[in-house]
Amino acid sequence: MAQSITHPVISPAADTPVTPLPLRAVLPWAVFVGTLMLVLLYFVGAEQGATSVFSGAGVHEWVHDGRHLLGFPCH
Ligand SMILES: [Zn+2]
């Protein structure tokens, strides 16, 4: 089959069988990325005042724009 601009070949390997990823291989990475996202969400959303892990306002200033962008209460 000739390839042209009006009739492009979308997937030349369309007859290749697709093997799904096993859940056992994906699950550790999903847990790792989920935990990382929860930690990031904590630092963006709750790292200030009485709940702060680190003293001072350094972490708060680093994520300040993200806090406002995501609609977390700030000041
Ligand atoms: Zn603010």
Side-chain angles (χ1 to χ4, degrees):
M1 181 166 88
Q3 185 174 6
S4 67
I5 294 176
T6 56
H7 297 92
V9 176
I10 302 298
S11 177
D15 56 344
T16 307
V18 177
T19 55
L21 282 175
L23 182 63
R24 193 175 301 154
V26 175
L27 191 61
W29 289 102
V31 169
F32 173 69
V33 170
T35 304
L36 209 60
M37 291 298 112
L38 284 176
V39 169
L40 183 65
L41 187 66
Y42 167 77
F43 278 114
V44 171
E47 173 67 14
Q48 71 174 14
T51 62
S52 68
V53 174
F54 300 105
S55 63
V59 175
H60 178 86
E61 292 302 324
W62 266 94
V63 299
H64 190 241
D65 291 342
R67 182 186 305 261
H68 282 271
L69 180 69
L70 295 173
F72 286 104
C74 186
H75 52 84

